[in-house]
Amino acid sequence: MVDQRSVDVGEVRLACQVSGPADAPPLVLLHALGEDATDWEAVAPVLARSRRVYALDLRGHGRSDWPGDYSLELMQADVLRFLDALGLGPVDLIGHSMGGIVAYLLAADQPQRVSRLVLEDVAVPRPREPSTPARPDGALTFAWEMVLAVRRQIDQPDPRWLERLDRITAETLVLAGGPDSHVPQDGVAELARRIPYGRVVTIPAGHLIHHAAPEAFTEAVSAFLEEDFRPCRPNMSAVGDRAVGTAARVLHRRDRDPGPPPGMKTTTISVEHANAEHGQGRPLQTSIVDDVVRSRAAG
């Protein structure tokens, strides 16, 4: 059963969908640019078997407030106030694309608040060539001025975002979408390298891994969240054979990605198949923001 909630976090009210046992460890899900909590519907029920799942609508999205003031730092602050409002201690945190940026900003600034971190197809913050998207026709489920504000930040990220990645203390799984993703995969590998306890797993399903390969996504993530970590040198660990092996029912091959930096073990997973369409009826590898904001390399 999914509980629809609205939580006052000070400047705004955030909508969220809550599911899973009330006494289970908390897991917070942060969506991509232009999406909302419903974007996780293909995977949230599986994750909620062992976690208390909180899928948020970030400010300017969905049923949350659209206050007219937008930045990734404000989104980060909203999430932190959300945790405070609900009295949540350290949480596991999953962020996709733009939500992944919000997630790593929070994990870097408040490392004690994040137990384990999953970043889905998120690249290291680097400047890129700016471009101005055209607003689509009709009503939107997100604030267009929010898209423009966030795009400006992603095009020219604050240098401190990169500098603070080494402050993250959470064990971190970076999921890469492989060559079909529009996100530069060398940037995804570099993000994992710069996070002290980061490791990367490639599920070659494109940018929308949790839509294109939901079983592979939930198997890899669930195994990572349940893994017992031993002290190790930064970036010398990886999602272990046990963790990846747990996904054997939906995965048929495992090998190493030759591209990452030395000292970081990575795993490439080939999925047996992917759905032609994901749950909202949109073609694989597209989303509303891919259609609207075509050059969203890391949003």
PDB file of all heavy atoms in Angstrom, residues 234-257:
ATOM      1  N   PRO A 234      39.784   3.132   0.180  1.00  0.00           N
ATOM      2  CA  PRO A 234      38.880   3.824  -0.729  1.00  0.00           C
ATOM      3  C   PRO A 234      39.109   3.415  -2.177  1.00  0.00           C
ATOM      4  O   PRO A 234      40.240   3.311  -2.638  1.00  0.00           O
ATOM      5  CB  PRO A 234      39.218   5.300  -0.510  1.00  0.00           C
ATOM      6  CG  PRO A 234      39.747   5.359   0.880  1.00  0.00           C
ATOM      7  CD  PRO A 234      40.492   4.062   1.071  1.00  0.00           C
ATOM      8  N   ASN A 235      37.991   3.187  -2.874  1.00  0.00           N
ATOM      9  CA  ASN A 235      37.977   2.857  -4.292  1.00  0.00           C
ATOM     10  C   ASN A 235      38.691   1.568  -4.628  1.00  0.00           C
ATOM     11  O   ASN A 235      38.991   1.309  -5.781  1.00  0.00           O
ATOM     12  CB  ASN A 235      38.542   4.011  -5.137  1.00  0.00           C
ATOM     13  CG  ASN A 235      37.499   5.047  -5.417  1.00  0.00           C
ATOM     14  OD1 ASN A 235      36.343   4.706  -5.664  1.00  0.00           O
ATOM     15  ND2 ASN A 235      37.880   6.293  -5.354  1.00  0.00           N
ATOM     16  N   MET A 236      38.980   0.732  -3.625  1.00  0.00           N
ATOM     17  CA  MET A 236      39.549  -0.578  -3.905  1.00  0.00           C
ATOM     18  C   MET A 236      38.502  -1.668  -3.750  1.00  0.00           C
ATOM     19  O   MET A 236      38.766  -2.828  -4.001  1.00  0.00           O
ATOM     20  CB  MET A 236      40.722  -0.853  -2.957  1.00  0.00           C
ATOM     21  CG  MET A 236      41.913   0.053  -3.193  1.00  0.00           C
ATOM     22  SD  MET A 236      42.592  -0.079  -4.850  1.00  0.00           S
ATOM     23  CE  MET A 236      43.310  -1.721  -4.740  1.00  0.00           C
ATOM     24  N   SER A 237      37.290  -1.283  -3.312  1.00  0.00           N
ATOM     25  CA  SER A 237      36.219  -2.259  -3.172  1.00  0.00           C
ATOM     26  C   SER A 237      35.261  -2.138  -4.341  1.00  0.00           C
ATOM     27  O   SER A 237      35.312  -1.203  -5.110  1.00  0.00           O
ATOM     28  CB  SER A 237      35.464  -2.032  -1.859  1.00  0.00           C
ATOM     29  OG  SER A 237      34.857  -0.757  -1.876  1.00  0.00           O
ATOM     30  N   ALA A 238      34.379  -3.125  -4.453  1.00  0.00           N
ATOM     31  CA  ALA A 238      33.365  -3.106  -5.497  1.00  0.00           C
ATOM     32  C   ALA A 238      32.167  -3.869  -4.991  1.00  0.00           C
ATOM     33  O   ALA A 238      32.235  -4.529  -3.967  1.00  0.00           O
ATOM     34  CB  ALA A 238      33.897  -3.737  -6.785  1.00  0.00           C
ATOM     35  N   VAL A 239      31.086  -3.757  -5.712  1.00  0.00           N
ATOM     36  CA  VAL A 239      29.956  -4.605  -5.363  1.00  0.00           C
ATOM     37  C   VAL A 239      30.425  -6.031  -5.562  1.00  0.00           C
ATOM     38  O   VAL A 239      30.781  -6.442  -6.653  1.00  0.00           O
ATOM     39  CB  VAL A 239      28.750  -4.298  -6.276  1.00  0.00           C
ATOM     40  CG1 VAL A 239      27.621  -5.266  -5.992  1.00  0.00           C
ATOM     41  CG2 VAL A 239      28.286  -2.879  -6.037  1.00  0.00           C
ATOM     42  N   GLY A 240      30.463  -6.796  -4.507  1.00  0.00           N
ATOM     43  CA  GLY A 240      31.116  -8.092  -4.523  1.00  0.00           C
ATOM     44  C   GLY A 240      30.431  -9.114  -5.389  1.00  0.00           C
ATOM     45  O   GLY A 240      29.320  -8.914  -5.870  1.00  0.00           O
ATOM     46  N   ASP A 241      31.118 -10.247  -5.595  1.00  0.00           N
ATOM     47  CA  ASP A 241      30.546 -11.311  -6.393  1.00  0.00           C
ATOM     48  C   ASP A 241      29.205 -11.754  -5.833  1.00  0.00           C
ATOM     49  O   ASP A 241      28.289 -12.103  -6.576  1.00  0.00           O
ATOM     50  CB  ASP A 241      31.507 -12.500  -6.449  1.00  0.00           C
ATOM     51  CG  ASP A 241      32.724 -12.192  -7.295  1.00  0.00           C
ATOM     52  OD1 ASP A 241      32.666 -11.234  -8.075  1.00  0.00           O
ATOM     53  OD2 ASP A 241      33.720 -12.909  -7.156  1.00  0.00           O
ATOM     54  N   ARG A 242      29.080 -11.740  -4.499  1.00  0.00           N
ATOM     55  CA  ARG A 242      27.815 -12.131  -3.899  1.00  0.00           C
ATOM     56  C   ARG A 242      26.718 -11.165  -4.298  1.00  0.00           C
ATOM     57  O   ARG A 242      25.609 -11.556  -4.660  1.00  0.00           O
ATOM     58  CB  ARG A 242      27.930 -12.160  -2.375  1.00  0.00           C
ATOM     59  CG  ARG A 242      26.597 -12.451  -1.688  1.00  0.00           C
ATOM     60  CD  ARG A 242      26.781 -12.561  -0.186  1.00  0.00           C
ATOM     61  NE  ARG A 242      27.278 -11.314   0.393  1.00  0.00           N
ATOM     62  CZ  ARG A 242      26.482 -10.291   0.696  1.00  0.00           C
ATOM     63  NH1 ARG A 242      25.198 -10.352   0.458  1.00  0.00           N
ATOM     64  NH2 ARG A 242      26.980  -9.198   1.236  1.00  0.00           N
ATOM     65  N   ALA A 243      27.041  -9.834  -4.284  1.00  0.00           N
ATOM     66  CA  ALA A 243      26.031  -8.839  -4.603  1.00  0.00           C
ATOM     67  C   ALA A 243      25.579  -8.955  -6.049  1.00  0.00           C
ATOM     68  O   ALA A 243      24.395  -8.974  -6.346  1.00  0.00           O
ATOM     69  CB  ALA A 243      26.575  -7.435  -4.338  1.00  0.00           C
ATOM     70  N   VAL A 244      26.546  -9.032  -6.976  1.00  0.00           N
ATOM     71  CA  VAL A 244      26.189  -9.125  -8.379  1.00  0.00           C
ATOM     72  C   VAL A 244      25.559 -10.475  -8.671  1.00  0.00           C
ATOM     73  O   VAL A 244      24.621 -10.600  -9.442  1.00  0.00           O
ATOM     74  CB  VAL A 244      27.412  -8.876  -9.274  1.00  0.00           C
ATOM     75  CG1 VAL A 244      27.051  -9.039 -10.729  1.00  0.00           C
ATOM     76  CG2 VAL A 244      27.967  -7.483  -9.032  1.00  0.00           C
ATOM     77  N   GLY A 245      26.073 -11.520  -8.006  1.00  0.00           N
ATOM     78  CA  GLY A 245      25.537 -12.849  -8.227  1.00  0.00           C
ATOM     79  C   GLY A 245      24.094 -12.978  -7.824  1.00  0.00           C
ATOM     80  O   GLY A 245      23.357 -13.810  -8.364  1.00  0.00           O
ATOM     81  N   THR A 246      23.667 -12.151  -6.877  1.00  0.00           N
ATOM     82  CA  THR A 246      22.271 -12.185  -6.468  1.00  0.00           C
ATOM     83  C   THR A 246      21.356 -11.894  -7.634  1.00  0.00           C
ATOM     84  O   THR A 246      20.202 -12.323  -7.666  1.00  0.00           O
ATOM     85  CB  THR A 246      22.023 -11.155  -5.345  1.00  0.00           C
ATOM     86  OG1 THR A 246      22.917 -11.415  -4.282  1.00  0.00           O
ATOM     87  CG2 THR A 246      20.599 -11.214  -4.832  1.00  0.00           C
ATOM     88  N   ALA A 247      21.854 -11.160  -8.621  1.00  0.00           N
ATOM     89  CA  ALA A 247      21.036 -10.777  -9.767  1.00  0.00           C
ATOM     90  C   ALA A 247      21.042 -11.811 -10.876  1.00  0.00           C
ATOM     91  O   ALA A 247      20.587 -11.543 -11.973  1.00  0.00           O
ATOM     92  CB  ALA A 247      21.532  -9.442 -10.314  1.00  0.00           C
ATOM     93  N   ALA A 248      21.505 -13.010 -10.604  1.00  0.00           N
ATOM     94  CA  ALA A 248      21.706 -14.000 -11.657  1.00  0.00           C
ATOM     95  C   ALA A 248      20.421 -14.374 -12.386  1.00  0.00           C
ATOM     96  O   ALA A 248      20.454 -14.802 -13.530  1.00  0.00           O
ATOM     97  CB  ALA A 248      22.339 -15.268 -11.074  1.00  0.00           C
ATOM     98  N   ARG A 249      19.283 -14.226 -11.736  1.00  0.00           N
ATOM     99  CA  ARG A 249      18.047 -14.615 -12.396  1.00  0.00           C
ATOM    100  C   ARG A 249      17.739 -13.729 -13.589  1.00  0.00           C
ATOM    101  O   ARG A 249      17.041 -14.152 -14.503  1.00  0.00           O
ATOM    102  CB  ARG A 249      16.879 -14.539 -11.402  1.00  0.00           C
ATOM    103  CG  ARG A 249      16.952 -15.600 -10.331  1.00  0.00           C
ATOM    104  CD  ARG A 249      15.692 -15.575  -9.487  1.00  0.00           C
ATOM    105  NE  ARG A 249      15.498 -14.296  -8.825  1.00  0.00           N
ATOM    106  CZ  ARG A 249      16.096 -13.983  -7.680  1.00  0.00           C
ATOM    107  NH1 ARG A 249      16.913 -14.835  -7.099  1.00  0.00           N
ATOM    108  NH2 ARG A 249      15.874 -12.814  -7.117  1.00  0.00           N
ATOM    109  N   VAL A 250      18.225 -12.491 -13.589  1.00  0.00           N
ATOM    110  CA  VAL A 250      17.922 -11.594 -14.702  1.00  0.00           C
ATOM    111  C   VAL A 250      19.168 -11.179 -15.466  1.00  0.00           C
ATOM    112  O   VAL A 250      19.077 -10.473 -16.454  1.00  0.00           O
ATOM    113  CB  VAL A 250      17.199 -10.328 -14.201  1.00  0.00           C
ATOM    114  CG1 VAL A 250      15.842 -10.683 -13.671  1.00  0.00           C
ATOM    115  CG2 VAL A 250      18.019  -9.590 -13.182  1.00  0.00           C
ATOM    116  N   LEU A 251      20.309 -11.622 -15.033  1.00  0.00           N
ATOM    117  CA  LEU A 251      21.561 -11.247 -15.685  1.00  0.00           C
ATOM    118  C   LEU A 251      22.225 -12.499 -16.224  1.00  0.00           C
ATOM    119  O   LEU A 251      22.190 -13.542 -15.598  1.00  0.00           O
ATOM    120  CB  LEU A 251      22.491 -10.566 -14.677  1.00  0.00           C
ATOM    121  CG  LEU A 251      21.853  -9.419 -13.881  1.00  0.00           C
ATOM    122  CD1 LEU A 251      22.836  -8.916 -12.846  1.00  0.00           C
ATOM    123  CD2 LEU A 251      21.416  -8.312 -14.791  1.00  0.00           C
ATOM    124  N   HIS A 252      22.836 -12.387 -17.383  1.00  0.00           N
ATOM    125  CA  HIS A 252      23.441 -13.600 -17.934  1.00  0.00           C
ATOM    126  C   HIS A 252      24.927 -13.488 -18.178  1.00  0.00           C
ATOM    127  O   HIS A 252      25.559 -14.460 -18.549  1.00  0.00           O
ATOM    128  CB  HIS A 252      22.736 -14.012 -19.231  1.00  0.00           C
ATOM    129  CG  HIS A 252      22.956 -13.065 -20.378  1.00  0.00           C
ATOM    130  ND1 HIS A 252      24.098 -13.047 -21.116  1.00  0.00           N
ATOM    131  CD2 HIS A 252      22.150 -12.117 -20.910  1.00  0.00           C
ATOM    132  CE1 HIS A 252      24.006 -12.141 -22.067  1.00  0.00           C
ATOM    133  NE2 HIS A 252      22.844 -11.558 -21.958  1.00  0.00           N
ATOM    134  N   ARG A 253      25.541 -12.308 -17.951  1.00  0.00           N
ATOM    135  CA  ARG A 253      26.979 -12.209 -18.173  1.00  0.00           C
ATOM    136  C   ARG A 253      27.554 -11.157 -17.263  1.00  0.00           C
ATOM    137  O   ARG A 253      26.915 -10.178 -16.942  1.00  0.00           O
ATOM    138  CB  ARG A 253      27.283 -11.838 -19.637  1.00  0.00           C
ATOM    139  CG  ARG A 253      28.776 -11.816 -19.947  1.00  0.00           C
ATOM    140  CD  ARG A 253      29.006 -11.624 -21.432  1.00  0.00           C
ATOM    141  NE  ARG A 253      28.390 -10.400 -21.897  1.00  0.00           N
ATOM    142  CZ  ARG A 253      28.989  -9.218 -21.836  1.00  0.00           C
ATOM    143  NH1 ARG A 253      30.175  -9.107 -21.328  1.00  0.00           N
ATOM    144  NH2 ARG A 253      28.367  -8.140 -22.289  1.00  0.00           N
ATOM    145  N   ARG A 254      28.781 -11.367 -16.872  1.00  0.00           N
ATOM    146  CA  ARG A 254      29.443 -10.428 -15.991  1.00  0.00           C
ATOM    147  C   ARG A 254      30.893 -10.308 -16.440  1.00  0.00           C
ATOM    148  O   ARG A 254      31.572 -11.307 -16.619  1.00  0.00           O
ATOM    149  CB  ARG A 254      29.367 -10.990 -14.562  1.00  0.00           C
ATOM    150  CG  ARG A 254      29.462 -10.000 -13.474  1.00  0.00           C
ATOM    151  CD  ARG A 254      29.163 -10.654 -12.144  1.00  0.00           C
ATOM    152  NE  ARG A 254      29.822 -11.933 -12.019  1.00  0.00           N
ATOM    153  CZ  ARG A 254      29.621 -12.747 -11.008  1.00  0.00           C
ATOM    154  NH1 ARG A 254      28.773 -12.435 -10.077  1.00  0.00           N
ATOM    155  NH2 ARG A 254      30.258 -13.886 -10.936  1.00  0.00           N
ATOM    156  N   ASP A 255      31.371  -9.121 -16.653  1.00  0.00           N
ATOM    157  CA  ASP A 255      32.782  -8.956 -16.951  1.00  0.00           C
ATOM    158  C   ASP A 255      33.213  -7.569 -16.541  1.00  0.00           C
ATOM    159  O   ASP A 255      32.414  -6.764 -16.093  1.00  0.00           O
ATOM    160  CB  ASP A 255      33.092  -9.201 -18.445  1.00  0.00           C
ATOM    161  CG  ASP A 255      32.115  -8.498 -19.360  1.00  0.00           C
ATOM    162  OD1 ASP A 255      31.766  -7.345 -19.083  1.00  0.00           O
ATOM    163  OD2 ASP A 255      31.694  -9.125 -20.332  1.00  0.00           O
ATOM    164  N   ARG A 256      34.486  -7.289 -16.676  1.00  0.00           N
ATOM    165  CA  ARG A 256      35.000  -6.010 -16.214  1.00  0.00           C
ATOM    166  C   ARG A 256      34.949  -4.978 -17.330  1.00  0.00           C
ATOM    167  O   ARG A 256      35.168  -5.282 -18.486  1.00  0.00           O
ATOM    168  CB  ARG A 256      36.447  -6.159 -15.721  1.00  0.00           C
ATOM    169  CG  ARG A 256      36.554  -7.009 -14.490  1.00  0.00           C
ATOM    170  CD  ARG A 256      37.990  -6.967 -13.993  1.00  0.00           C
ATOM    171  NE  ARG A 256      38.180  -7.902 -12.909  1.00  0.00           N
ATOM    172  CZ  ARG A 256      37.922  -7.639 -11.657  1.00  0.00           C
ATOM    173  NH1 ARG A 256      37.449  -6.481 -11.318  1.00  0.00           N
ATOM    174  NH2 ARG A 256      38.116  -8.551 -10.722  1.00  0.00           N
ATOM    175  N   ASP A 257      34.667  -3.767 -16.924  1.00  0.00           N
ATOM    176  CA  ASP A 257      34.679  -2.634 -17.835  1.00  0.00           C
ATOM    177  C   ASP A 257      36.125  -2.179 -17.985  1.00  0.00           C
ATOM    178  O   ASP A 257      36.763  -1.848 -17.004  1.00  0.00           O
ATOM    179  CB  ASP A 257      33.823  -1.520 -17.224  1.00  0.00           C
ATOM    180  CG  ASP A 257      33.682  -0.331 -18.149  1.00  0.00           C
ATOM    181  OD1 ASP A 257      34.502  -0.190 -19.063  1.00  0.00           O
ATOM    182  OD2 ASP A 257      32.755   0.457 -17.930  1.00  0.00           O
TER     183      ASP A 257
END
